[in-house]
Amino acid sequence: MNGTCELKKRLLNGASNGHAFAVENETSNDQYYANNNVYSYEAVVNIAEYLLDRVPYRPRIGIICGSGMGSLAEALSNPIKFPYEDIPNFPVSTVEGHAGQLVFGRLSGVPVMCMQGRFHYYEGYPLWKCAMPVRVMKMVGVTHLIATNAAGGLNKTYKVGDIMLVKDHINMMGFAGNNPLQGPNEARFGPRFPPMNTAYDKQLVRKAKEIAALEGLGDLVHDGVYTCLGGPSFETVAELKMLGMLGVDAVGMSTVHEVITARHCNMSVFAFSLITNMCITDYDCGDEANHCEVLDVGKLREADLRHFVSKIVVHLAHNM
Ligand SMILES: O=P(O)(O)O[C@H]1O[C@H](CO)[C@@H](O)[C@H]1O
């Protein structure tokens, strides 16, 4: 462990990619953090320090692997792996298809940090806890987040195996007052009221479409609106019909809380959904959504997704 000055320098560097936020509410928040078992700024810093002490570089790109998409992390060269249970104060993954480790390494030569396994609300974690690793990424020095997920396709023009670039989301859980930024604002991460109308980097969505076309994946790629429900039950026909009327193109149980947390601390966000199943909006259809199918489609698209993500990572590395 290096001295305190070095620690501050590293953390300031890590947090200096965005606005210089005023340090406010520092002490008044402490009581809330203690009473509610919330991660304080310092607790996130400690986790970042644990990682920085063991990784000889600072990736600027963070990747979150969706269900069945953990093989993205397996494409990294010279991986340095941190099982979640070994990282002090880290939650653990409980869902099949989420290995449960942070992996640092190089993707096509570019240093990245991957969450091979994310946290979902239905696992019993509050949203702030599900999204806490995004803040760790920020403290490590990540400026660009790539969030991937498996989702049900609601847009009838989609097919299983397609890729939907997320251009916007509907924060359904937020409508019910559940948001990862709930509680006192930690101004060292970001502002009390962060805007979300520019949540997804528009230019990157455009570029990703170009990349997909160049790489022969153009026919698979759409852009659309994602929504996250609490899960773990899949949706009823009536719920899906309602979501369709609201303009949702793909339905999942993740990502939105991560994106909100990333935008709060001024990270640039790119996200996509692998359409692993088509949402059932017909009462006469005997099929049922299931997690095995979700994992199987992830496996089927493994090579394409690795290729696609590595091209995006290279593009980002040349344009940050
Ligand atoms: O969003 P990810 O983690 O990719 O996983 C999706 O797949 C699972 C359901 O099969 C849910 O967890 C849903 O959110």
Side-chain angles (χ1 to χ4, degrees), residues 66-67 98 118 120 122 148-150 226 234 252-255 291 294:
S67 281
H98 289 265
R118 64 149 54 87
H120 307 83
Y122 61 76
T148 73
N149 62 58
Y226 175 86
F234 285 107
M253 307 173 194
S254 71
T255 307
H291 190 55
V294 169

Side-chain angles (χ1 to χ4, degrees), residues 60-64 112-114 137 142-147 267:
R60 291 191 58 194
I61 299 174
I63 301 173
I64 303 178
V112 300
M113 131 179 217
C114 268
M137 284 183 173
V142 168
T143 55
H144 290 68
L145 177 68
I146 300 178
M267 285 161 77

Side-chain angles (χ1 to χ4, degrees), residues 64-69 95-98 117-120 122-123 148-152 226 228-232 234 251-255 257-258 272 274 276-277 289-295:
I64 303 178
C65 303
S67 281
M69 295 151 87
V95 185
E96 196 189 339
H98 289 265
R118 64 149 54 87
F119 304 109
H120 307 83
Y122 61 76
E123 291 176 76
T148 73
N149 62 58
Y226 175 86
C228 164
L229 304 179
F234 285 107
V251 184
M253 307 173 194
S254 71
T255 307
H257 50 276
E258 298 153 351
F272 70 82
L274 175 66
T276 52
N277 55 289
N290 66 85
H291 190 55
C292 289
E293 177 184 29
V294 169
L295 298 182

Side-chain angles (χ1 to χ4, degrees), residues 196-217:
M196 283 298 141
N197 57 310
T198 53
Y200 299 87
D201 185 326
K202 247 199 282 191
Q203 278 180 0
L204 203 46
V205 170
R206 216 174 297 134
K207 187 71 202 173
K209 276 192 189 165
E210 281 171 33
I211 291 173
L214 278 173
E215 301 303 322
L217 301 171

Side-chain angles (χ1 to χ4, degrees), residues 45-315:
V45 163
N46 286 342
I47 298 174
E49 274 300 305
Y50 173 88
L51 300 167
L52 285 171
D53 282 343
R54 291 159 179 81
V55 179
Y57 49 84
R58 298 177 62 125
R60 291 191 58 194
I61 299 174
I63 301 173
I64 303 178
C65 303
S67 281
M69 295 151 87
S71 83
L72 287 173
E74 262 128 48
L76 306 195
S77 57
N78 302 113
I80 308 172
K81 300 181 177 178
F82 299 94
Y84 292 160
E85 58 268 27
D86 293 351
I87 306 172
N89 285 317
F90 221 74
V92 291
S93 282
T94 66
V95 185
E96 196 189 339
H98 289 265
Q101 53 184 3
L102 287 181
V103 187
F104 289 73
R106 288 174 198 275
L107 190 56
S108 298
V110 180
V112 300
M113 131 179 217
C114 268
M115 278 183 79
Q116 197 182 25
R118 64 149 54 87
F119 304 109
H120 307 83
Y121 190 65
Y122 61 76
E123 291 176 76
Y125 297 122
L127 285 181
W128 54 261
K129 197 166 196 171
C130 295
M132 178 279 295
V134 172
R135 289 184 163 174
V136 172
M137 284 183 173
K138 174 74 179 184
M139 291 294 105
V140 162
V142 168
T143 55
H144 290 68
L145 177 68
I146 300 178
T148 73
N149 62 58
L154 194 48
N155 184 317
K156 298 252 186 285
T157 67
Y158 296 180
K159 297 181 300 304
V160 169
D162 283 359
I163 295 168
M164 186 192 83
L165 311 180
V166 181
K167 68 173 182 192
D168 203 352
H169 67 230
I170 296 182
N171 180 9
M172 289 301 281
M173 295 166 80
F175 286 5
N178 196 355
N179 188 297
L181 303 180
Q182 213 165 30
N185 184 51
E186 176 49 80
R188 285 168 289 184
F189 286 119
R192 171 75 287 186
F193 300 110
M196 283 298 141
N197 57 310
T198 53
Y200 299 87
D201 185 326
K202 247 199 282 191
Q203 278 180 0
L204 203 46
V205 170
R206 216 174 297 134
K207 187 71 202 173
K209 276 192 189 165
E210 281 171 33
I211 291 173
L214 278 173
E215 301 303 322
L217 301 171
D219 290 347
L220 302 181
V221 170
H222 315 270
D223 58 27
V225 175
Y226 175 86
T227 198
C228 164
L229 304 179
S233 46
F234 285 107
E235 305 71 40
T236 65
V237 169
E239 286 163 352
L240 289 168
K241 281 176 184 281
M242 181 194 81
L243 293 172
M245 285 192 281
L246 293 179
V248 171
D249 296 299
V251 184
M253 307 173 194
S254 71
T255 307
V256 169
H257 50 276
E258 298 153 351
V259 172
I260 291 171
T261 304
R263 291 301 294 147
H264 179 244
C265 61
N266 204 36
M267 285 161 77
S268 160
V269 171
F270 173 71
F272 70 82
S273 302
L274 175 66
I275 304 301
T276 52
N277 55 289
M278 288 308 290
C279 293
I280 298 168
T281 51
D282 171 5
Y283 284 104
D284 295 328
C285 172
D287 294 346
E288 290 180 330
N290 66 85
H291 190 55
C292 289
E293 177 184 29
V294 169
L295 298 182
D296 287 349
V297 175
K299 191 110 204 89
L300 278 175
R301 275 275 175 256
E302 203 171 86
D304 287 334
L305 293 182
R306 277 188 191 190
H307 189 66
F308 182 54
V309 172
S310 56
K311 293 286 173 192
I312 287 168
V313 162
V314 169
H315 166 78

